[in-house]
Amino acid sequence: QVQLVESGGGLAQPGESLRLSCAAAGSGVATIRTLAWYRESPGKERELVAEINRAGTTDYADSMRGRVTISRDGAKNTVYLDIDNLKPDDTAVYLCNARQAFRTYWGRGTQVTISS
């Protein structure tokens, strides 16, 4: 089992930066292959923002490439998402995702609202 808890969301202004954190815990943490961030907002499908695998290889959504950075701290079992130059369209619930060989886990999400 894996539990994921996101934090770091909140209200920010356009142009600012934000760091989201996702702490993984549970007996299955050691077998997580990939950690990822998704986001969802009303009227839009859930979309992948960024992912990082056990080797540290990263991948980003084309729409956000250059503004986001995903990283992980293995010692803390935590994955981070740094978003720069925030835009109103970044307003969404950001969800952490962990994938093992045969199972996928989701956190409950953290709300990010970008407004001036």
Side-chain angles (χ1 to χ4, degrees), residues 16-97:
E16 293 183 338
S17 298
L18 202 63
R19 164 169 275 201
L20 305 179
S21 302
C22 171
S27 59
V29 167
T31 58
I32 292 174
R33 292 187 173 185
T34 302
L35 287 164
W37 284 97
Y38 285 74
R39 67 181 185 181
E40 60 183 14
S41 57
K44 297 182 181 179
E45 293 186 359
R46 182 177 295 182
E47 64 174 341
L48 174 69
V49 176
E51 63 182 20
I52 184 168
N53 65 15
R54 192 182 299 173
T57 303
T58 59
D59 196 17
Y60 298 96
D62 289 340
S63 62
M64 298 192 74
R65 195 180 301 274
R67 289 199 301 122
V68 297
T69 303
I70 189 169
S71 58
R72 65 189 298 174
D73 183 333
K76 296 181 180 180
N77 293 321
T78 299
V79 62
Y80 304 98
L81 183 71
D82 292 291
I83 312 174
D84 296 322
N85 190 22
L86 287 160
K87 305 177 186 300
D89 283 349
D90 293 325
T91 296
V93 174
Y94 285 74
L95 301 112
C96 186
N97 168 281

